[in-house]
Amino acid sequence: VEAAGANNRGEAPGDFGWKLITSDDPAVKNKKLAAEIANGRLAMMAIIGMFFQDGLTGSAWGDWATYTASPLRAFENELGVQAPVGFWDPLGLTKDGDVESFKRRRATELKHGRVSMIACMGYIVPEFFHWSGKLSPSKNLDFADIPNGLSAISKVPAAGVLQWFVFCGLIEKGLFVHDDSRGPGDFANGGVLGVPNGSTLPAGEGRNRKLNAEIANGRLAMMAII
């Protein structure tokens, strides 16, 4: 149709000379064109959902409640499965049901969430407070001279930036060492919430509520810092 010239463009976008849906009344015509655009937007979202549903259940009209063979069932009761989306994996990363891969991704999510929460605080606190004294006596640089946000990176001496990397490396390899026998984000020196020398919360509803809150806050912080 395109190559044969049947869709020769008119003056308006999408006007190919077809007069099936039109009107001599400008108001009625605009209403119909607006409805076409709205329906097209809805259809674009709908077809993506149908593709995903088809890949997940084997049918575009599959009933998730009865699809018990899905490998995603292995993770639907994990921490972080929260309303309103439930277990949300739009990229299908867990479709193979690999528990070890899931644990690795959850540990990565927790780490990024914790760092992002600290980063958000790092953006907020300097708006109201700076340490007194010198950041770098050799360069006569005060803490108060450091601006907020990303512009601070260009003001901190190279030796200070190097200290950041050394500190992060020591935390990663010395304090919070990954242990396969423990849950994702649960370190011997940090407890389940990652706080240095934090006690491990007793199993139960209170523990799950706090861990879910950490995951939710971490996800929010990752979006916020971006």
Side-chain angles (χ1 to χ4, degrees), residues 141-225:
L141 185 64
D142 293 334
F143 282 103
D145 296 332
I146 303 300
N148 300 340
L150 293 175
S151 57
I153 298 176
S154 63
K155 300 296 183 181
V156 176
V161 176
L162 179 62
Q163 291 175 29
W164 297 348
F165 285 97
V166 172
F167 175 76
C168 291
L170 291 174
I171 293 294
E172 180 79 13
K173 299 299 182 182
L175 183 62
F176 293 157
V177 180
H178 177 70
D179 185 349
D180 289 332
S181 65
R182 306 173 74 94
D186 183 2
F187 303 103
N189 295 320
V192 293
L193 292 176
V195 180
N197 296 316
S199 60
T200 300
L201 297 171
E205 184 61 29
R207 170 189 169 116
N208 291 342
R209 184 175 66 254
K210 291 181 179 179
L211 293 178
N212 271 321
E214 180 193 25
I215 293 173
N217 291 338
R219 291 168 176 170
L220 177 61
M222 284 188 280
M223 297 303 297
I225 198 61

Side-chain angles (χ1 to χ4, degrees), residues 42-74:
L42 178 61
M44 286 186 280
M45 296 301 298
I47 196 63
I48 292 174
M50 293 172 73
F51 285 152
F52 179 74
Q53 181 80 348
D54 190 17
L56 183 67
T57 67
S59 170
W61 308 106
D63 186 352
W64 172 246
T66 61
Y67 191 68
T68 58
S70 173
L72 297 182
R73 291 291 188 185

Side-chain angles (χ1 to χ4, degrees), residues 20-62:
L20 182 62
I21 303 177
T22 187
S23 175
D24 294 329
D25 187 334
V28 175
K29 181 178 180 180
N30 288 339
K31 180 179 179 181
K32 290 183 177 182
L33 292 176
E36 179 192 21
I37 294 173
N39 291 338
R41 291 169 177 170
L42 178 61
M44 286 186 280
M45 296 301 298
I47 196 63
I48 292 174
M50 293 172 73
F51 285 152
F52 179 74
Q53 181 80 348
D54 190 17
L56 183 67
T57 67
S59 170
W61 308 106

